Amino acid sequence: MPSLRQAACAAVIAAALPFAAHAESVTLQVEQVTPGADAHTNARVVDIKLKPDSVKTLANFTRERVGQRVQFRANGILLSSATLMSPLDGDSLRITAGEHGFAGKSAEEIAQGIMKEGSLTMDDENR
């Protein structure tokens, strides 16, 4: 049987939960994914074209998060983390690999994984 002290602690934690930050995420359905290299920097990139319904989803999600950090993930791999300077309202995205690629994977491997899955996820950074 829980002690009065444990019950009191549980009540305090439960009361604080509604005020805790709640991370959200959206799944974006992809139409086409193309690996490549940036023409100016030669950095490895993955170009992603979204399905029409996901264009709206992306715009709505990012409109509410201007000035905040968000992340793109595919198959459990963090692809990019950035601060939104404006809403993303186009039908395509370009994700550029960091210094060590995409978590050690090539742009081709990432593109194949996204196409196989058919989607990628965007979430609040505090997720």
Side-chain angles (χ1 to χ4, degrees):
M1 176 175 252
S3 70
L4 184 56
R5 183 180 206 177
Q6 289 172 326
C9 286
V12 169
I13 291 170
L17 286 178
F19 302 106
H22 177 67
E24 291 184 53
S25 68
V26 292
T27 299
L28 304 171
Q29 301 301 315
V30 299
E31 189 169 298
Q32 181 179 357
V33 182
T34 308
D38 183 274
H40 296 84
T41 65
N42 208 32
R44 300 303 296 163
V45 299
V46 175
D47 291 320
I48 301 166
K49 182 170 182 182
L50 300 173
K51 291 187 177 180
D53 286 347
S54 288
V55 173
K56 294 174 189 171
T57 300
L58 176 67
N60 291 338
F61 189 81
T62 59
R63 187 175 303 110
E64 298 169 2
R65 288 164 175 80
V66 172
Q68 298 177 27
R69 291 191 66 80
V70 295
Q71 299 175 329
F72 284 99
R73 298 176 189 276
N75 303 310
I77 298 170
L78 176 63
L79 302 178
S80 180
S81 178
T83 301
L84 290 171
M85 302 309 287
S86 63
L88 303 177
D89 57 7
D91 67 349
S92 60
L93 304 166
R94 170 171 278 185
I95 299 177
T96 304
E99 182 179 336
H100 302 291
F102 296 106
K105 296 197 178 286
S106 70
E108 290 77 11
E109 290 172 306
I110 294 297
Q112 289 172 359
I114 293 171
M115 280 308 294
K116 182 178 179 184
E117 185 76 19
S119 64
L120 70 151
T121 303
M122 184 177 199
D123 57 60
D124 296 323
E125 188 179 61
N126 61 351
R127 179 173 178 239

